[in-house]
Amino acid sequence: MEELKTLLEACINENLIYMVISGARAKDGIIKVRIRPVLQKDRLRFQSAARKGKQEFHANRSGEEITGDILSWMEKDFRQLQIQTRDRLITVLVSKKGKVTIREKRCDACKNAPELTHNRKKRYILEEGTPVPFLQDLGVQTEDGKVIHSRYDKFRQINRFLEFIEDILPQMDKGKELTILDFGCGKSYLTFAMYYYLKILNGYDIRIIGLDLKEDVIAHCNQLARKYGYDKLTFLTGDIADYTGVSRVDMVVTLHACDTATDYALEKALEWNAKVILSVPCCQHELNGQIRNEILEPVLKYGLIRERIAALVTDALRAGRLEEAGYQVQVLEFIDMEHTPKNILIRAVKTGKPHRIDKLDVCEDFLGVEPTLGRLRKAEGNI
């Protein structure tokens, strides 16, 4: 396989147009893999789409990672690889005894393929034109998969959220059932999207529980889950602070839980020692009523400025408490500010042991605030 490895290292770059791996050795496994280059935040990645039965499993990999994947596939699972670059069309054949035969020819017509950097069509995890049942029933798509114009912002939001989940897939164990809690799920656009992406597209064994206070909304979501045959997707009526229905949770999602409901959801996630936390806070009123500082008074006297500073400080202090609990934390832009001012997502991945951050208390004292999450952590003796 050294000759194949050398070939792949020469082809896996910005000049690659596509690769197709076929000729599966087994009938009950993956039957075909298609690979193409994509740009993610100006980084060159390689997206694989592995077909198994009626399902397709996607992954975005670095050049080194996809090279390793291809070598493994060709050694164990497949007999043929076709590579198209901007100047060559290459066919690789692997015999039953492992002999590798490489044939290539020039392809002048391939030079006219669009440059990757000039491809202006946005790459979505849930592609436009591909019908998805829950998107149709929730009013985002038509029957033929076309995105309804007035719901395009929601379509982008769903895909953006799935990108955040895609990034943390390496942290999720595919060898066991994973439990995901979605607090304040509402109409559950993103809950259905999580299930579809993780279970249907990527084959994870997951159980998702959506929790919300609105009984009519919960009843409708359960009806849709039954309609689609999503047997491990359940919706319950309940309050975030009082929920005790599970003893172990792998991922906690809280999207637009209002004010301190986010804090109670985060505290629950920490009690469960959740591996991943995704939180989009909303309506951060608590600190707006508390914040007091003589030095900042010339700034805080303006209501709108005070509100925005209080909201940002709230989420920054939440992120700090998660770091104290042993998480790697990122504060990310969820969707563009032009669509909603509630556009911050806190993503936390469990990595290490809890540790005290004394400057968080100093910061809170300076601003004269006592946020709920910090108070809950102290009351439980966790900090």
Side-chain angles (χ1 to χ4, degrees), residues 114-211:
E115 291 285 342
L116 181 63
T117 53
H118 294 163
N119 185 355
R120 296 182 181 273
K121 183 179 179 181
K122 169 69 176 174
R123 173 254 172 191
Y124 290 114
I125 290 176
L126 302 183
E127 292 283 359
E128 298 180 70
T130 301
V132 180
F134 78 86
L135 290 180
Q136 295 171 356
D137 284 335
L138 293 172
V140 177
Q141 277 187 341
T142 60
E143 289 186 1
D144 60 357
K146 183 178 179 181
V147 178
I148 296 170
H149 183 71
S150 62
R151 307 298 287 163
Y152 213 91
D153 287 349
K154 179 61 69 175
F155 179 72
R156 281 196 293 262
Q157 182 190 51
I158 290 169
N159 274 284
R160 179 64 172 151
F161 179 68
L162 292 181
E163 288 175 9
F164 290 126
I165 292 182
E166 183 179 56
D167 289 343
I168 54 89
L169 285 183
Q171 311 300 326
M172 303 181 71
D173 187 352
K174 213 169 185 179
K176 67 173 185 177
E177 182 188 69
L178 302 173
T179 299
I180 300 174
L181 250 295
D182 185 353
F183 284 123
C185 59
K187 293 182 179 179
S188 303
Y189 294 90
L190 300 180
T191 321
F192 281 104
M194 270 195 297
Y195 192 94
Y196 182 81
Y197 175 67
L198 291 171
K199 176 75 171 182
I200 308 302
L201 294 185
N202 284 287
Y204 280 84
D205 183 8
I206 58 169
R207 176 169 64 117
I208 299 183
I209 301 169
L211 191 72

Side-chain angles (χ1 to χ4, degrees), residues 279-297:
S279 177
V280 178
C282 182
C283 307
Q284 301 95 326
H285 297 310
E286 182 184 36
L287 266 60
N288 191 20
Q290 293 182 3
I291 193 167
R292 295 285 185 278
N293 184 280
E294 290 185 9
I295 296 174
L296 296 177
E297 188 55 35

